[in-house]
């Protein structure tokens, strides 16, 4: 990231999404949980949380057109319409597309055909109430459509002014190279946290070589390493974590043991477990922008506090001793969903 030579770097200095993407606040707001996968959410509180994020300077709002089958985009539309004009103008939308849904809420694969890209985009613009999407990306690679065709269709939307920047999601290094050969890629959205470090071996170095930023989701591993998830917590019907391997049986116990060890490090610095986990991701490089999935203002406030956590070399050593790379028990998705991750193949 480059900044004006006279501008001091502060915890809230904007970070740029790669060499071609926009500058954004160092934390983005992941809005999925306001509509899907974690049980019921309070609509009023969700909108208030988006407003609070914008008021705090957050610029990047991340969503997917399939989150609640369009519900999340409509929610963001309402939040932006009711926000002060200055806040509304600074907001940037990052949208994932391509997932096919059923009436019952199931998933039925992905569609990355150029005609599907244009169709999905038309619906998103209508639901968001905007004339463009700031960053547009397919949620998972369609195995039946070359990534070059999907990215090429987004590039056409950029030329038409309907999309500002092209992103990718959960792709491996080879796919990243193929996509970048077609058009400039601003960022790769991919899971990255203390207990999900698989990108460090090949994907992250490739992104950096190509000048592609990283928007890191799952930085608290869906609440698992937030410090707020207890061993006896009952999950609401439809909560994704009810079928996530890391939240099952012995896996959960082993993973929460890691959280207990991390809590000791956090306590020694007078910060929360969530804050030190987010601060660790922030410290991975100025080309990494963590997405925090706060659904409530108090959780948002806690996440924003991570920006003020300074980690020394000794702190980083202590954190990684508490949660060593590869220590997590269980895959990050159920087996059927892992099969859709180009980043894991």
């Amino acid at each position: 990231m480059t900044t004006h030579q006279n501008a001091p770097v502060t915890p809230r200095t904007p970070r740029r999404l790669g060499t071609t993407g926009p500058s954004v606040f160092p934390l983005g707001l992941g809005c999925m949980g306001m509509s899907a996968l974690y049980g019921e959410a309070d609509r009023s509180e969700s909108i208030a949380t988006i407003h609070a994020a914008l008021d705090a300077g957050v610029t990047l709002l991340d969503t997917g057109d399939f989150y609640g089958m369009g519900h999340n985009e409509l929610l963001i539309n309402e939040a932006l319409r009711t926000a002060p004009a200055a806040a509304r103008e600074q907001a940037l939308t990052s949208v994932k597309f391509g997932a096919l849904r059923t009436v019952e809420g199931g998933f039925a694969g992905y569609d990355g055909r150029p005609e599907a890209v244009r169709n999905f985009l038309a619906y998103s613009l209508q639901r968001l109430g905007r004339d463009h999407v700031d960053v547009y990306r397919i949620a998972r690679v369609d195995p039946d459509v070359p990534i070059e065709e999907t990215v090429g269709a987004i590039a056409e939307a950029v030329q038409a002014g309907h999309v500002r920047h092209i992103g990718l999601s959960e792709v491996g290094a080879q796919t990243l190279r193929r996509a970048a050969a077609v058009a400039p890629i601003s960022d790769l959205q991919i899971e990255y946290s203390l207990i999900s470090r698989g990108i460090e071996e090949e994907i992250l170095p490739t992104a950096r070589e190509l000048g592609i930023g990283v928007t890191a989701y799952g930085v608290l591993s869906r609440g698992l390493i937030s410090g707020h998830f207890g061993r006896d917590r009952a999950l609401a019907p439809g909560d994704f974590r009810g079928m996530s391997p890391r939240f099952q049986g012995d896996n959960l116990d082993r993973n929460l043991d890691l959280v207990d060890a991390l809590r000791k490090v956090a306590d020694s610095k007078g910060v929360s477990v969530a804050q030190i986990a987010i601060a660790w991701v922030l410290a991975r490089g100025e080309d990494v922008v963590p997405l925090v999935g706060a659904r409530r203002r108090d959780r948002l406030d806690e996440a924003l506090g991570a920006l003020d956590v300074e980690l020394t070399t000794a702190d980083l050593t202590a954190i990684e001793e508490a949660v060593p790379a590869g220590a997590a028990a269980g895959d990050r998705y159920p087996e059927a969903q892992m099969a859709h991750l180009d980043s894991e193949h």
Side-chain angles (χ1 to χ4, degrees), residues 9 39 43 52 101 113 142 173 176 194 200 218 236 245 250 257 283 292 303 329:
V9 176
R43 187 180 186 86
R101 303 298 303 270
R113 295 171 302 144
D142 181 344
L176 202 58
L194 270 169
E200 293 177 344
D250 291 342
D257 285 344
V292 295

Side-chain angles (χ1 to χ4, degrees), residues 321-344:
E321 287 177 350
V323 187
D331 287 333
R332 54 196 183 99
Y333 284 97
E335 183 177 357
Q337 294 184 35
M338 289 291 290
H340 290 295
L341 298 176
D342 182 78
S343 55
E344 294 287 339

Side-chain angles (χ1 to χ4, degrees), residues 235-249:
L235 296 173
D239 192 314
F240 165 82
R241 293 169 292 191
M243 59 179 183
S244 172
R246 290 183 174 175
F247 288 83
Q248 307 304 310

Side-chain angles (χ1 to χ4, degrees), residues 294-336:
R295 300 196 293 173
R296 302 183 342 223
R297 284 168 286 182
D298 58 337
R299 293 287 192 255
L300 172 67
D301 288 343
E302 180 181 28
L304 290 169
L307 292 168
D308 299 317
V309 178
E310 296 184 16
L311 298 179
T312 65
T313 300
D315 292 332
L316 292 170
T317 298
I319 290 168
E320 298 196 17
E321 287 177 350
V323 187
D331 287 333
R332 54 196 183 99
Y333 284 97
E335 183 177 357

